Amino acid sequence: MKKHTTEILCAGFGGQGIMFIGKLLARAGLNAGKHVTWMPSYGAEVRGGTAYSMTKISDMEIASPLVVRPDVLVAMNKPSLIKYQASVKAGGLIIANKTLIDGFEKIKGLNYVNVPLTEWASKLGSTKVANLIAMGILLKKTKAVSSKYVLDALLGMLKEKKDLFALNKRAFERGYRA
């Protein structure tokens, strides 16, 4: 069986749940028995500043947590898309938040899913779950880990907040169906 590593870069502004989905991916990977790394980076401001997180999920040991050429980019706003789009590996996936990203030039050889994440999240009851919609799309497309492990990790992270878990689960499922 071939060993596989998925490198994911999630980027946006503070308050969009960039750190949360990076950590959730890492926990889901651990639950699945994979090797994982998660490296967050906050901008000068926590809410409103630029933020990104790098997550690796692998069948083998990981030498470095740095994601230089991601397989997947989740871009929650246009500055993040502009900054990181060219770094995605050939054949890689970009999940773009169409609600906050108007027209942009696509790079040949990359796969794009450009959907109104924030708009869809608003229809679910909170724009704060746009990140979980993106995560649902990411896992449907990459199969980096099973959705079962994601939901188990989500429950663990939100165990004291049943209503918040239910909303996030609906958002994840919305993305997975997209």
Side-chain angles (χ1 to χ4, degrees), residues 5 20 37 46 67 70 96 147 161:
T5 300
F20 186 83
T37 61
V46 174
V67 172
S147 60
K161 303 172 183 175

Side-chain angles (χ1 to χ4, degrees), residues 79 86 94 104 112 114 117 125 128 150 162 164 168 178:
I94 295 178
F104 62 94
Y112 291 83
N114 189 18
L117 299 170
K128 292 181 179 180
V150 172
K162 299 293 184 199
L164 196 54
N168 278 272

Side-chain angles (χ1 to χ4, degrees), residues 8-23 25 37-46 48-55 65-70 72-77 79-81 83-85 87:
I8 304 155
L9 177 64
C10 301
F13 54 75
Q16 288 186 300
I18 300 302
M19 300 309 146
F20 186 83
I21 61 170
K23 185 185 275 188
L25 280 164
T37 61
W38 172 63
M39 196 166 94
S41 177
Y42 303 90
E45 307 163 36
V46 174
T50 301
Y52 67 88
S53 70
M54 296 181 242
T55 307
L66 292 178
V67 172
V68 178
R69 302 281 297 160
V72 181
L73 168 64
V74 175
M76 296 297 287
N77 62 11
S80 298
L81 179 68
K83 183 172 184 176
Y84 298 112
Q85 176 178 225
S87 69

Side-chain angles (χ1 to χ4, degrees), residues 117 139 157:
L117 299 170
L139 291 180
M157 291 171 74

